[in-house]
Amino acid sequence: MGEPSAVFLLDCSPDTMSMRLQYRALSRSAPQSSAALPTDKDHATYRRVEGFARDCQPVAAHYQGKRLLHKIDAEKSPEEVFSQICRVLDSS
């Protein structure tokens, strides 16, 4: 496949990622409010997110060393995240 021309790291806290994943799972299964989301940091989704963040660090470091890594502030709204990604793609 070859070397990528850009690598994106959607950077957000484990809390944010866990909440978004849980909300997405709930919204697919049945319409519920965000108040129904589990907030316990021992929740399985939260543990998976923490593991993902830890495991992706060597990959991010590899591409950062090659100057291909673009960190995107994923704490922002979906529209702002999309805009950040578009700016990087437009500048490449």
Side-chain angles (χ1 to χ4, degrees):
M1 289 176 61
E3 189 74 17
S5 58
V7 176
F8 293 94
L9 175 60
L10 302 180
D11 193 27
C12 66
S13 70
D15 288 333
T16 298
M17 189 182 299
S18 179
M19 180 186 66
R20 288 178 180 169
L21 288 169
Q22 291 172 42
Y23 180 77
R24 183 176 180 202
L26 286 173
S27 68
R28 285 184 173 192
S29 62
Q32 296 182 14
S33 72
S34 59
L37 290 176
T39 57
D40 185 0
K41 288 187 177 184
D42 290 330
H43 189 273
T45 302
Y46 189 87
R47 290 192 308 273
R48 286 187 203 119
V49 165
E50 284 185 316
F52 171 78
R54 181 185 59 250
D55 294 345
C56 78
Q57 289 305 314
V59 176
H62 171 78
Y63 285 111
Q64 186 169 12
K66 293 183 172 231
R67 297 184 177 188
L68 296 173
L69 184 70
H70 299 274
K71 285 189 179 181
I72 303 297
D73 183 358
E75 293 288 341
K76 307 274 184 183
S77 71
E79 294 80 15
E80 290 175 277
V81 170
F82 181 72
S83 178
Q84 291 177 70
I85 292 170
C86 289
R87 281 194 297 273
V88 171
L89 291 174
D90 289 343
S91 68
S92 296

